[in-house]
Amino acid sequence: MSKGPTESHPGKDTEDRPGSAIDRRSFLASGAAAVAIADAPAAQAAEAAAWDRETDVVVIGAGAGGLVAAIAAREKGASVLIVEKNFDIGGRAMMSFGGLYIGGGNRLQKAKGVEDSPDREFADWSRPEKPMGRFSDRALVRTWADNTLELFDWLEKNGIKWDSYRGVPDRLDRNRTRLNVVRWPNEPTTPARGSGFVRPLEKTARQMGIEILLQQQMTKIHRESPLAGRVTGIATVEVDDWFKPKTRTMNIKARKGVIIATGGSAGNPVFRTMFDVRLTEEYQAENSEWTERTGDGEIAAMEIGAALGATACQTTQDDNLITKGRMGKKSNGAITELYPTSPHFFRARALGLVVKDYQNVILVKENGLRFYDETATTRDYEYYAAALAWTGDPRKFNGGGPIWAIFDADAVAREEWDVKPPHVDPNGYFFTADTIEELAAKIVNEYQWRPMSGAALRKSVERYNSFVDAGVDADFKKPRPMHKIARPPFYAAWHTPALHDSYTGVRINTSAQVIDLHGKVIPGLYACGDSAGGFGQHGICRAATFGRIAGFHAAAQAS
Ligand SMILES: Cc1cc2nc3c(=O)[nH]c(=O)nc-3n(C[C@H](O)[C@H](O)[C@H](O)COP(=O)(O)OP(=O)(O)OC[C@H]3O[C@@H](n4cnc5c(N)ncnc54)[C@H](O)[C@@H]3O)c2cc1C
């Protein structure tokens, strides 16, 4: 092995924190991780032959973390280029609820009489009785807590308008610090509040002269040699509206640094099954109509030696790992929606139906059998465990298979659902029939790996209807089953749980520098947001905190 990068590029921020949390043994044991490194293309060893573009800092991804990182680097005098895979900026943050965990005792908290301080924030998020507190790297939690007050002012300065705190004022509770942004006025793509975070930052970034190259996918991070030396830039390929590579490629030199802000790995079944082998391909990443979350940043960084950080956060079965969300569409977890007129709607294909009352549906697996109390909340991890359990068929050992909501015409009336496009996707994600057997036979879907038995579905419906008569669910203890599934037409809507956040990614230090498998900094490489590991906090504030730190730090490097 050649001389480590830290030795060749000493610097005051090259801490490697040997005591911080990394499950190194399980990472090395992971076949997929080993393959990712072993398969690194030979071409990667070479310095890019020719640079097509050159800038101080390259940011990969124009979502929550990337926009903040870019503005921070530009503010400190660096020239900045953002490459973004989509044809619009925003990432998943665009479709988010736009509520940040940001407190520390700022002016809005004071006005409401809320007691807060960085110490309190740190205490909230490092409590060992909470899974994310137990498994997060406390050095990163502390960094987040110590930065929130400054970040609040900085975001405001860069265009963010705050709405209101959601939380309970007095409790030592993270909701105390959950502050909503104001939705961007007249946003044409989505009614989601998250536009109020990314659109103002986009405006600021463009005003500062930051160039955003859309439909450019980073495919590789260049380093002086495969596992040593500075990061020198990236390779990109132009992609079409479906994120499919076209032919035009580019090498972009980064004189000071490359910042990974690619939004996590929830949409990559190979990557996510490193952590949970049950999360096979039928589980969709929520909001994949806006961003795929294929772990591009993590994989490119691992190919040049990066480690992962605090991977236990990914398997805590806590917080927003997986959700029930909308049904009748493929990326079904999305609780927020697009407008049907949105330029992104073609990827979503439907708005999906919100189930107000789970008394109106039963949920069956791909074998036509119920498996749990349908009224379970979205945070009930026993529900997901039951959904993900082996069906007993040796043709598919891992993953539970698709989940379908089954209901009848009376349920449609009670819920006031419109069961036509654009509300549902009849192309494999929503079916209608006059009998239960016909309904089962109609369920043909890319992930329905065996036909659903009409007899099994009929039996499930009849048994459930008998529970309605008896007032007791003898199988799964659904509280007092209320409504029979009896009046045709009958419906089947895709309702497989969807994957929400990524809670691990590449290992970073408190300067957002990426750490390699030997605990050394990879000079010139940074990460933030859902692609950075170490701190299992949901969402935008974690992305913004480490994006800002990454931007400042990268801009301060020598060219
Ligand atoms: C329904 C919903 C509600 C949510 N509500 C909240 C909330 O209220 N509060 C909160 O804090 N968080 C919320 N979140 C989570 C929050 O949106 C994410 O945690 C946050 O956006 C992560 O920021 P990021 O920068 O890591 O990724 P993103 O914002 O997703 O940005 C990543 C960007 O990188 C781009 N990209 C990926 N790969 C490449 C590549 N190879 N080359 C170039 N570009 C690439 C993507 O296209 C994307 O634009 C919510 C999410 C959803 C889906």
Side-chain angles (χ1 to χ4, degrees):
M1 177 76 52
S2 60
K3 213 165 106 168
T6 309
E7 290 148 29
S8 51
H9 294 275
K12 60 180 163 51
D13 292 307
T14 53
E15 63 175 290
D16 52 5
R17 296 174 298 111
S20 60
I22 178 168
D23 186 353
R24 196 180 289 232
R25 207 172 338 144
S26 65
F27 171 79
L28 289 173
S30 144
V35 167
I37 289 176
D39 279 357
Q44 191 177 309
E47 169 81 0
W51 297 112
D52 301 289
R53 297 287 305 260
E54 200 170 315
T55 187
D56 287 337
V57 176
V58 171
V59 177
I60 313 164
L67 288 165
V68 168
I71 293 169
R74 185 78 196 99
E75 184 181 294
K76 297 292 179 194
S79 57
V80 181
L81 189 67
I82 306 180
V83 295
E84 167 55 54
K85 201 167 163 178
N86 199 1
F87 55 78
D88 195 356
I89 63 98
R92 204 162 65 106
M94 180 67 93
M95 294 196 70
S96 78
F97 295 123
L100 281 70
Y101 292 117
I102 188 163
N106 60 49
R107 113 184 115 67
L108 291 182
Q109 287 180 308
K110 283 193 181 121
K112 269 186 92 178
V114 176
E115 288 279 325
D116 202 9
S117 67
D119 285 348
R120 256 186 108 159
E121 289 185 302
F122 176 66
D124 269 358
W125 283 92
S126 56
R127 278 192 280 162
E129 67 273 21
K130 286 206 168 186
M132 291 306 182
R134 190 178 316 143
F135 295 118
S136 288
D137 179 339
R138 298 222 173 114
L140 298 181
V141 183
R142 187 74 234 186
T143 301
W144 161 76
D146 287 344
N147 274 272
T148 50
L149 266 180
E150 257 187 47
L151 181 67
F152 175 94
D153 293 337
W154 187 91
L155 288 171
E156 219 171 25
K157 189 183 85 184
N158 286 297
I160 304 296
K161 292 196 175 12
W162 305 115
D163 186 352
S164 57
Y165 274 98
R166 293 211 322 206
V168 187
D170 305 321
R171 291 208 342 242
L172 185 69
D173 186 288
R174 57 193 204 169
N175 271 341
R176 195 189 67 252
T177 63
R178 192 150 159 101
L179 177 58
N180 291 332
V181 299
V182 176
R183 189 178 164 270
W184 187 246
N186 306 320
E187 172 59 41
T189 59
T190 166
R193 203 191 292 114
S195 61
F197 190 80
V198 285
R199 288 288 185 224
L201 295 181
E202 176 194 14
K203 188 176 169 196
T204 303
R206 291 192 190 280
Q207 280 168 349
M208 292 172 95
I210 295 168
E211 194 178 352
I212 305 175
L213 300 181
L214 298 172
Q215 297 195 268
Q216 288 292 329
Q217 177 183 0
M218 177 279 301
T219 52
K220 187 159 87 177
I221 297 172
H222 294 297
R223 195 175 181 182
E224 282 170 345
S225 70
L227 295 170
R230 278 192 71 84
V231 160
T232 52
I234 65 165
T236 67
V237 65
E238 191 184 354
V239 290
D240 68 13
D241 289 353
W242 287 100
F243 307 119
K244 295 279 172 295
K246 296 189 186 174
T247 47
R248 218 179 112 228
T249 58
M250 244 196 307
N251 287 310
I252 306 174
K253 181 172 179 176
R255 288 183 291 258
K256 290 171 181 276
V258 169
I259 301 174
I260 297 167
T262 44
S265 55
N268 183 335
V270 174
F271 201 93
R272 70 191 185 219
T273 49
M274 283 198 279
F275 308 104
D276 188 338
V277 78
R278 300 168 304 171
L279 298 178
T280 44
E281 56 290 336
E282 63 270 32
Y283 301 94
Q284 304 300 308
E286 203 177 37
N287 292 121
S288 42
E289 52 268 62
W290 205 286
T291 168
E292 285 187 302
R293 295 194 280 154
T294 39
D296 295 10
E298 291 86 324
I299 292 168
M302 288 165 78
E303 285 174 346
I304 57 165
L308 296 179
T311 59
C313 290
Q314 194 63 45
T315 45
T316 55
Q317 302 206 152
D318 186 40
D319 221 294
N320 290 307
L321 281 164
I322 190 165
T323 59
K324 280 167 105 174
R326 286 168 183 257
M327 64 176 193
K329 63 181 283 221
K330 182 172 180 179
S331 104
N332 64 328
I335 309 152
T336 53
E337 57 188 272
L338 293 168
Y339 291 120
T341 50
S342 166
H344 290 75
F345 193 78
F346 71 97
R347 291 194 200 119
R349 298 202 302 243
L351 293 164
L353 302 174
V354 176
V355 185
K356 291 196 278 284
D357 182 356
Y358 275 86
Q359 287 288 354
N360 286 321
V361 304
I362 62 167
L363 297 177
V364 300
K365 302 218 324 183
E366 96 298 332
N367 56 12
L369 304 179
R370 287 180 71 218
F371 59 96
Y372 205 71
D373 162 17
E374 288 81 3
T375 63
T377 66
T378 208
R379 294 287 179 90
D380 181 343
Y381 276 88
E382 292 309 312
Y383 160 78
Y384 299 115
L388 290 161
W390 183 40
T391 56
D393 190 317
R395 284 170 295 173
K396 182 169 168 44
F397 274 108
N398 300 312
I403 310 296
W404 297 96
I406 307 292
F407 50 95
D408 70 354
D410 286 336
V412 171
R414 283 191 300 272
E415 289 270 359
E416 298 178 330
W417 284 322
D418 185 344
V419 290
K420 296 187 296 298
H423 299 277
V424 297
D425 179 0
N427 301 307
Y429 292 85
F430 192 83
F431 302 96
T432 313
D434 286 331
T435 69
I436 293 291
E437 283 81 358
E438 277 169 26
L439 185 65
K442 275 192 171 175
I443 297 176
V444 176
N445 165 281
E446 55 196 306
Y447 304 105
Q448 177 75 25
W449 53 275
R450 59 176 165 179
M452 186 184 288
S453 153
L457 187 62
R458 156 73 50 206
K459 211 170 149 194
S460 295
V461 169
E462 284 175 355
R463 189 162 168 78
Y464 183 78
N465 288 348
S466 77
F467 295 158
V468 175
D469 285 334
V472 175
D473 174 1
D475 291 340
F476 301 107
K477 297 190 173 59
K478 181 173 185 168
R480 198 194 290 249
M482 304 276 289
H483 309 294
K484 288 187 181 179
I485 299 169
R487 193 160 73 87
F490 301 101
Y491 301 92
W494 174 264
H495 207 4
T496 310
L499 301 166
H500 194 70
D501 288 334
S502 305
Y503 286 124
T504 195
V506 291
R507 185 177 173 182
I508 57 169
N509 64 16
T510 54
S511 300
Q513 293 171 290
V514 175
I515 306 298
D516 74 7
L517 281 166
H518 303 281
K520 305 291 184 195
V521 162
I522 298 178
L525 189 60
Y526 301 82
C528 60
D530 280 19
S531 287
F535 179 18
Q537 183 183 69
H538 166 66
I540 296 171
C541 195
R542 168 168 70 109
T545 301
F546 290 98
R548 182 166 164 270
I549 290 171
F552 286 162
H553 199 278
Q557 301 309 298
S559 304

